[in-house]
Amino acid sequence: MTGLKLQKRLAASVLKCGKRKVWLDPTEMTEIGTANSRQNIRKLIKDRYVIRKPPAMHSRARVRAMHEAKAKGRHTGTGKRRGTANARLPFKVLWMRRIRVLRRMLKKYRDAKKIDKHLYHELYLQAKGNKFKNKMNLMENIHRLKTEKTKEQQLKEQAEARKARAQAQRDRKAKAKAAAEAK
């Protein structure tokens, strides 16, 4: 085998691979040994005395299995963690996700005329100020504000009606008094 250094180098060059990928048939050493040119090496390759070895397998089966398990939540306990909670999933990313959800919801509500622009602006600033934990929280707040507003409106209308009735009664009394004085 030591005398076939030249043949191995030439074969590697012809096969366009490294010397470690070249296989020389051990039963045909003498014939391979006589080959001293690329032409001869090509003939040996054609006769299958010199072969390019297949690439070594680097299986990802185990890696895939591990990823599948991790997707299910295995192998992620405290003992497997190297970074801080913030390094693993930054607080900023969580904040961005939450604020985008809230702002999207506020826009949708404003466009659907469920809230007016003044309430939208107020809630927008409150969301920015970290008042709402999640979408549900914001929704409940909107409903509460709307019910308060309608209740206030009803009370206002009732007070207006009461005032109008009182005024009408005063007018009637004044008319009756004026009629009585006229007699």
Short mmCIF file of all heavy atoms in Angstrom, two decimals, residues 146-165:
data_model
loop_
_atom_site.label_atom_id
_atom_site.label_comp_id
_atom_site.label_asym_id
_atom_site.label_seq_id
_atom_site.Cartn_x
_atom_site.Cartn_y
_atom_site.Cartn_z
N LYS A 146 -68.02 51.41 28.79
CA LYS A 146 -69.21 51.65 27.97
C LYS A 146 -70.49 51.60 28.79
O LYS A 146 -71.39 52.43 28.62
CB LYS A 146 -69.27 50.64 26.83
CG LYS A 146 -68.31 51.00 25.69
CD LYS A 146 -68.26 49.94 24.64
CE LYS A 146 -69.42 50.04 23.69
NZ LYS A 146 -69.31 49.10 22.56
N THR A 147 -70.57 50.62 29.71
CA THR A 147 -71.77 50.51 30.56
C THR A 147 -71.89 51.72 31.47
O THR A 147 -72.98 52.26 31.67
CB THR A 147 -71.78 49.21 31.40
OG1 THR A 147 -70.55 49.12 32.12
CG2 THR A 147 -71.98 47.99 30.54
N GLU A 148 -70.75 52.16 32.00
CA GLU A 148 -70.75 53.36 32.85
C GLU A 148 -71.25 54.57 32.06
O GLU A 148 -72.04 55.38 32.55
CB GLU A 148 -69.34 53.64 33.38
CG GLU A 148 -68.97 52.84 34.63
CD GLU A 148 -67.53 53.07 35.07
OE1 GLU A 148 -66.92 54.08 34.65
OE2 GLU A 148 -67.03 52.25 35.83
N LYS A 149 -70.77 54.67 30.82
CA LYS A 149 -71.14 55.80 29.97
C LYS A 149 -72.64 55.80 29.68
O LYS A 149 -73.31 56.84 29.77
CB LYS A 149 -70.35 55.73 28.67
CG LYS A 149 -70.29 57.05 27.93
CD LYS A 149 -69.41 56.95 26.71
CE LYS A 149 -69.30 58.26 26.01
NZ LYS A 149 -68.51 58.16 24.77
N THR A 150 -73.16 54.61 29.36
CA THR A 150 -74.60 54.53 29.06
C THR A 150 -75.44 54.83 30.30
O THR A 150 -76.47 55.51 30.22
CB THR A 150 -74.99 53.14 28.50
OG1 THR A 150 -74.50 52.13 29.39
CG2 THR A 150 -74.44 52.91 27.11
N LYS A 151 -74.98 54.33 31.46
CA LYS A 151 -75.69 54.59 32.72
C LYS A 151 -75.71 56.09 33.00
O LYS A 151 -76.75 56.66 33.39
CB LYS A 151 -74.98 53.85 33.86
CG LYS A 151 -75.92 53.51 35.01
CD LYS A 151 -75.23 52.70 36.08
CE LYS A 151 -75.25 51.23 35.78
NZ LYS A 151 -74.62 50.43 36.84
N GLU A 152 -74.57 56.73 32.79
CA GLU A 152 -74.44 58.17 33.00
C GLU A 152 -75.40 58.92 32.08
O GLU A 152 -76.08 59.87 32.50
CB GLU A 152 -73.00 58.60 32.70
CG GLU A 152 -72.47 59.68 33.63
CD GLU A 152 -70.98 59.92 33.40
OE1 GLU A 152 -70.66 60.76 32.54
OE2 GLU A 152 -70.17 59.27 34.06
N GLN A 153 -75.45 58.44 30.83
CA GLN A 153 -76.32 59.06 29.83
C GLN A 153 -77.79 58.94 30.26
O GLN A 153 -78.55 59.91 30.17
CB GLN A 153 -76.10 58.37 28.48
CG GLN A 153 -76.65 59.12 27.28
CD GLN A 153 -75.84 60.36 26.96
OE1 GLN A 153 -74.63 60.38 27.13
NE2 GLN A 153 -76.50 61.42 26.52
N GLN A 154 -78.16 57.76 30.73
CA GLN A 154 -79.54 57.53 31.17
C GLN A 154 -79.90 58.43 32.35
O GLN A 154 -80.98 59.04 32.38
CB GLN A 154 -79.73 56.06 31.58
CG GLN A 154 -79.84 55.11 30.41
CD GLN A 154 -79.85 53.66 30.87
OE1 GLN A 154 -79.56 53.36 32.03
NE2 GLN A 154 -80.16 52.75 29.94
N LEU A 155 -78.97 58.51 33.32
CA LEU A 155 -79.21 59.37 34.49
C LEU A 155 -79.39 60.82 34.06
O LEU A 155 -80.25 61.54 34.56
CB LEU A 155 -78.07 59.24 35.49
CG LEU A 155 -77.99 57.91 36.26
CD1 LEU A 155 -76.69 57.84 37.04
CD2 LEU A 155 -79.19 57.76 37.19
N LYS A 156 -78.56 61.23 33.10
CA LYS A 156 -78.63 62.61 32.59
C LYS A 156 -80.00 62.86 31.94
O LYS A 156 -80.62 63.91 32.18
CB LYS A 156 -77.52 62.81 31.55
CG LYS A 156 -77.01 64.23 31.46
CD LYS A 156 -75.87 64.28 30.45
CE LYS A 156 -75.06 65.52 30.61
NZ LYS A 156 -73.97 65.59 29.61
N GLU A 157 -80.41 61.88 31.13
CA GLU A 157 -81.71 62.01 30.44
C GLU A 157 -82.86 62.07 31.45
O GLU A 157 -83.80 62.85 31.29
CB GLU A 157 -81.91 60.84 29.47
CG GLU A 157 -81.12 60.99 28.18
CD GLU A 157 -81.14 59.73 27.33
OE1 GLU A 157 -81.96 58.82 27.60
OE2 GLU A 157 -80.34 59.67 26.38
N GLN A 158 -82.76 61.21 32.49
CA GLN A 158 -83.79 61.20 33.53
C GLN A 158 -83.86 62.55 34.25
O GLN A 158 -84.93 63.09 34.51
CB GLN A 158 -83.52 60.08 34.54
CG GLN A 158 -83.88 58.69 34.01
CD GLN A 158 -83.42 57.60 34.96
OE1 GLN A 158 -82.90 57.88 36.03
NE2 GLN A 158 -83.60 56.35 34.54
N ALA A 159 -82.69 63.10 34.56
CA ALA A 159 -82.64 64.41 35.24
C ALA A 159 -83.25 65.49 34.34
O ALA A 159 -84.00 66.36 34.81
CB ALA A 159 -81.19 64.74 35.58
N GLU A 160 -82.92 65.42 33.04
CA GLU A 160 -83.47 66.38 32.07
C GLU A 160 -85.00 66.29 32.05
O GLU A 160 -85.71 67.30 32.07
CB GLU A 160 -82.92 66.09 30.66
CG GLU A 160 -81.44 66.36 30.49
CD GLU A 160 -81.11 67.82 30.28
OE1 GLU A 160 -81.93 68.55 29.71
OE2 GLU A 160 -80.02 68.24 30.72
N ALA A 161 -85.50 65.04 32.01
CA ALA A 161 -86.96 64.82 31.96
C ALA A 161 -87.62 65.36 33.23
O ALA A 161 -88.69 66.00 33.18
CB ALA A 161 -87.25 63.33 31.81
N ARG A 162 -86.96 65.08 34.37
CA ARG A 162 -87.48 65.56 35.65
C ARG A 162 -87.55 67.09 35.65
O ARG A 162 -88.55 67.69 36.07
CB ARG A 162 -86.57 65.06 36.78
CG ARG A 162 -87.37 64.64 38.01
CD ARG A 162 -86.50 64.06 39.11
NE ARG A 162 -86.05 62.72 38.81
CZ ARG A 162 -84.77 62.33 38.82
NH1 ARG A 162 -83.82 63.20 39.09
NH2 ARG A 162 -84.44 61.10 38.56
N LYS A 163 -86.46 67.71 35.16
CA LYS A 163 -86.42 69.18 35.09
C LYS A 163 -87.54 69.72 34.20
O LYS A 163 -88.20 70.69 34.52
CB LYS A 163 -85.07 69.64 34.52
CG LYS A 163 -84.00 69.83 35.58
CD LYS A 163 -82.76 70.41 34.92
CE LYS A 163 -81.56 70.32 35.83
NZ LYS A 163 -80.32 70.64 35.13
N ALA A 164 -87.72 69.04 33.05
CA ALA A 164 -88.74 69.48 32.09
C ALA A 164 -90.14 69.38 32.71
O ALA A 164 -90.97 70.28 32.56
CB ALA A 164 -88.66 68.64 30.82
N ARG A 165 -90.37 68.24 33.42
CA ARG A 165 -91.68 68.07 34.09
C ARG A 165 -91.92 69.14 35.14
O ARG A 165 -93.00 69.73 35.24
CB ARG A 165 -91.74 66.68 34.75
CG ARG A 165 -92.18 65.57 33.80
CD ARG A 165 -92.76 64.36 34.53
NE ARG A 165 -91.86 63.81 35.54
CZ ARG A 165 -90.90 62.91 35.31
NH1 ARG A 165 -90.72 62.47 34.06
NH2 ARG A 165 -90.14 62.47 36.28
#
